[in-house]
Amino acid sequence: QDNRISIWSAGDFGNAGLNGEYHGEPHLLCDIQHNGDVMDMQFLDQERIVAASSTGTVTIFRHHQNNQTLSASHRWEKAHYHVDQDTSCGGAACTGVVCNNPEIVTVGEDGRINLFRADQKDAVRTIDNADSSTLHAVTFLRTTEILTVNSIGQLKIWDLRQQRNEPSQIFSLAGDRVPLHCVDRHPNQQHIVATGGQDGMLSIWDIRQGTMPVSLLNAHEAEMWEVHFHPSDPDHLFTCSEDGSLWHWDTSTNVSEKPSFLHQGGRSTAYLSHSTINQSVVSAWLSNDPTKDRMEITNLIPNQTLSVNSLDVLGPCLVYGTDAEAIYVNRQLFA
């Protein structure tokens, strides 16, 4: 019932011991009450955080670093709603938020897309009936284009410069219309997109061609909640799931020289399915030579129990949160 947004200090990164151990326990710097479940959140800049609520409200919180407090600096009440904004119970959950300062895009259970600016009181743009089903997640493709995934297995591209309220492209999973829960695009090759859904499969898409995934990879045994390319080393991808696992997918070129341990020690080897692409530089994610494409997959949580709901990655540092009401920080990803 009582939800909060918290800022933590995760210890001193510059101060590693000889054996790579870090000193300083994580400690809570400050927190603030949050109305409704926190469905998603993202930093807008160094001191502002945008949070999406199950009540449909979107809030910008400011972190005051001089006295370590949090305050709500702006709020869009019922940015998402089912019937109308004025009914007391009409809020629809805001399921996803993505920031490209000063712009903020939100999606929700009401199938609505909002474009806000941090410095403006009202929405810059709202696409009311963007989707007839729930939009589960959103990310920027380019500064003027966004990607959304929905509960009937569709990936859509929206061009925010266009005034018409239709997606510029629609991609979909064949067959079963499995709900997609998460989406991320490759940081360097923006035509490569990864999604994950209710069946735990990882889908890789090439948005320049076709309307179906380039490859479908068997992954988790339950819903995949989050997928992230490593921002500076995108041969590495991370996924987490309701089944309590968090997988590190490694397609870096030297994988074939590593010994492969099939299902030993949490590692297994998978093969991508392939499509031919005439391109001098082919990303490992879209590659068309199966013999070269051994991919190493490591489960970073060997004793999995409860759902891993969220993850983020930066440099050698991976952070994830689970239903055990704990936050974990793994600081030696590439040990």
Side-chain angles (χ1 to χ4, degrees):
Q1 295 302 306
D2 176 30
N3 297 305
R4 308 188 82 75
I5 283 185
S6 312
I7 301 259
W8 294 78
S9 161
D12 183 0
F13 282 79
N15 194 2
L18 290 172
N19 52 1
E21 287 175 12
Y22 290 84
H23 305 295
E25 284 293 301
H27 65 276
L28 182 64
L29 296 176
C30 51
D31 64 359
I32 191 169
Q33 199 162 9
H34 181 272
N35 209 349
D37 294 344
V38 182
M39 304 296 288
D40 196 9
M41 60 180 172
Q42 207 176 47
F43 278 97
L44 177 66
D45 55 25
Q46 288 293 320
E47 50 185 36
R48 289 182 295 175
I49 302 131
V50 181
S53 170
S54 58
T55 64
T57 294
V58 177
T59 311
I60 301 179
F61 293 96
R62 187 178 288 276
H63 175 212
H64 306 275
Q65 294 174 9
N66 51 355
N67 61 357
Q68 289 305 343
T69 55
L70 273 166
S71 66
S73 68
H74 192 78
R75 201 172 259 131
W76 290 281
E77 296 281 351
K78 298 238 182 91
H80 295 273
Y81 54 92
H82 282 305
V83 189
D84 60 81
Q85 264 174 311
D86 305 323
T87 46
S88 59
C89 56
C94 177
T95 51
V97 57
V98 65
C99 304
N100 186 12
N101 191 10
E103 295 188 320
I104 299 160
V105 175
T106 69
V107 296
E109 275 181 5
D110 52 358
R112 200 173 260 106
I113 298 173
N114 290 308
L115 172 63
F116 298 110
R117 280 180 70 101
D119 48 11
Q120 291 183 22
K121 198 161 66 85
D122 297 320
V124 178
R125 171 102 190 265
T126 295
I127 305 176
D128 270 331
N129 299 311
D131 214 298
S132 55
S133 65
T134 295
L135 289 168
H136 282 137
V138 59
T139 193
F140 275 99
L141 181 60
R142 297 179 186 82
T143 49
T144 55
E145 287 181 300
I146 56 167
L147 289 163
T148 59
V149 290
N150 70 11
S151 58
I152 55 170
Q154 291 173 325
L155 169 69
K156 297 183 182 180
I157 300 178
W158 304 82
D159 187 338
L160 297 173
R161 292 164 304 190
Q162 300 281 342
Q163 280 316 299
R164 56 196 191 94
N165 294 340
E166 303 288 327
S168 52
Q169 278 178 281
I170 301 178
F171 303 84
S172 48
L173 294 170
D176 291 342
R177 299 197 156 206
V178 175
L180 291 172
H181 290 306
C182 52
V183 58
D184 197 25
R185 71 148 171 78
H186 192 288
N188 313 336
Q189 296 179 281
Q190 295 177 339
H191 54 277
I192 301 173
V193 174
T195 63
Q198 190 166 314
D199 57 1
M201 295 279 277
L202 173 64
S203 307
I204 305 291
W205 313 69
D206 181 348
I207 58 171
R208 299 168 308 180
Q209 52 168 38
T211 56
M212 286 165 60
V214 175
S215 47
L216 286 169
L217 299 163
N218 271 315
H220 302 278
E221 289 162 22
E223 291 93 338
M224 186 188 296
W225 291 130
E226 193 111 57
V227 57
H228 271 299
F229 285 101
H230 192 288
S232 54
D233 199 349
D235 286 344
H236 299 268
L237 178 106
F238 299 87
T239 58
C240 64
S241 167
E242 180 72 28
D243 67 11
S245 61
L246 193 163
W247 284 14
H248 173 189
W249 306 71
D250 180 357
T251 65
S252 56
T253 45
N254 60 353
V255 168
S256 50
E257 283 104 67
K258 292 181 193 167
S260 100
F261 305 100
L262 280 167
H263 303 300
Q264 281 178 348
R267 288 165 188 265
S268 64
T269 304
Y271 288 89
L272 285 160
S273 65
H274 308 285
S275 67
T276 319
I277 293 164
N278 296 324
Q279 193 187 353
S280 53
V281 182
V282 175
S283 163
W285 294 106
L286 303 179
S287 175
N288 54 13
D289 179 356
T291 54
K292 285 211 305 261
D293 287 336
R294 259 229 314 269
M295 189 184 332
E296 194 167 43
I297 302 166
T298 311
N299 181 13
L300 300 177
I301 312 177
N303 308 323
Q304 55 202 66
T305 47
L306 299 169
S307 173
V308 184
N309 302 317
S310 187
L311 72 92
D312 207 354
V313 59
L314 190 66
C317 199
L318 173 80
V319 182
Y320 57 97
T322 75
D323 270 358
E325 296 189 14
I327 303 160
Y328 298 86
V329 182
N330 175 343
R331 293 204 178 90
Q332 292 175 295
L333 264 188
F334 303 118

